[in-house]
Amino acid sequence: SIIDKDSEQDLREAIKFLNKNGGTIYIDTPVININLDSKLELMGEFSGGIIGKKQSNNEYPRIDFKKVRDKFDGKSISQAMISITGSNKFLKYLIIENSASYGIYIAGNKTTLDHIITRYNNFPGVYLYKAKDTTLNYCYSYRNFGKYSNGKLGTGFASDLGSSSNIIFKYCFAWDNSN
């Protein structure tokens, strides 16, 4: 499916379809603003993912969690993030920003991130937990700041040591993070 306007509802419906059938979601709009404090979760065993199409301003689409982050009080853990818990999933050419939680949480198998930017998130831009056979190519994670942890949790890339295996980083960079 193709999402060509700022519609969180269209994105959530496309993800539900992808989880049940596999396939590819193309995002062809400058931004999709997220309003609900719930995960955008790619799960299941069918191959599939999300690809952003370069916009007329030469930027890739942004999935922006700012509206959720601005309402967040820090007394609980926000669920507004990209969560990959299934197998054979991918994200390409996207900017994930302003989450009150992780930018991208990966707990699946055979996940690939290509040309992804995570920035301005409260926890790590990319967090790997029990992830297996995961590859990150040309990913950039910057200015993530652990606002509710006195800066401790704002990293570019993080992995729960001992739980993830066969993680490959190719040409990935992190800078200006609080931890």
Side-chain angles (χ1 to χ4, degrees):
S1 64
I2 298 174
I3 299 172
D4 59 3
K5 64 182 184 263
D6 179 4
S7 174
E8 176 180 0
Q9 181 178 348
D10 288 354
L11 178 59
R12 289 187 183 277
E13 287 175 10
I15 289 172
K16 281 182 188 176
F17 183 86
L18 181 144
N19 289 340
K20 289 180 182 176
N21 303 292
T24 302
I25 299 167
Y26 293 95
I27 297 178
D28 189 8
T29 185
V31 64
I32 295 178
N33 289 292
I34 304 302
N35 297 293
L36 298 175
D37 189 7
S38 64
K39 298 173 187 174
L40 296 169
E41 186 169 11
L42 303 180
M43 58 184 160
E45 301 302 314
F46 292 107
S47 296
I50 304 171
I51 298 176
K53 296 181 91 175
K54 189 182 277 190
Q55 300 298 293
S56 60
N57 63 1
N58 284 327
E59 290 185 8
Y60 290 106
R62 295 178 294 121
I63 298 178
D64 193 340
F65 294 93
K66 185 178 188 311
K67 290 180 181 179
V68 176
R69 186 195 66 194
D70 289 351
K71 293 184 282 187
F72 186 69
D73 61 9
K75 294 178 182 165
S76 61
I77 294 178
S78 172
Q79 295 298 307
M81 67 184 87
I82 303 284
S83 177
I84 302 173
T85 58
S87 297
N88 306 302
K89 303 297 185 251
F90 61 85
L91 298 175
K92 297 180 181 185
Y93 307 112
L94 294 168
I95 300 169
I96 312 301
E97 63 185 10
N98 294 316
S99 173
S101 187
Y102 307 107
I104 302 170
Y105 173 89
I106 301 172
N109 299 323
K110 299 180 183 171
T111 301
T112 302
L113 303 184
D114 276 317
H115 293 85
I116 297 293
I117 294 172
T118 56
R119 62 187 183 190
Y120 318 133
N121 301 294
N122 264 355
F123 286 5
V126 177
Y127 181 64
L128 301 126
Y129 179 74
K130 295 185 179 178
K132 301 204 178 345
D133 303 320
T134 296
T135 302
L136 289 80
N137 298 307
Y138 297 95
C139 294
Y140 309 93
S141 193
Y142 61 90
R143 296 190 189 120
N144 298 292
F145 182 79
K147 179 177 179 181
Y148 301 105
S149 62
N150 296 318
K152 292 180 183 171
L153 297 176
T155 60
F157 303 98
S159 179
D160 187 30
L161 295 176
S163 74
S164 294
S165 62
N166 197 28
I167 309 301
I168 299 169
F169 290 88
K170 294 180 182 177
Y171 305 103
C172 295
F173 301 90
W175 69 94
D176 288 345
N177 297 293
S178 66
N179 187 8

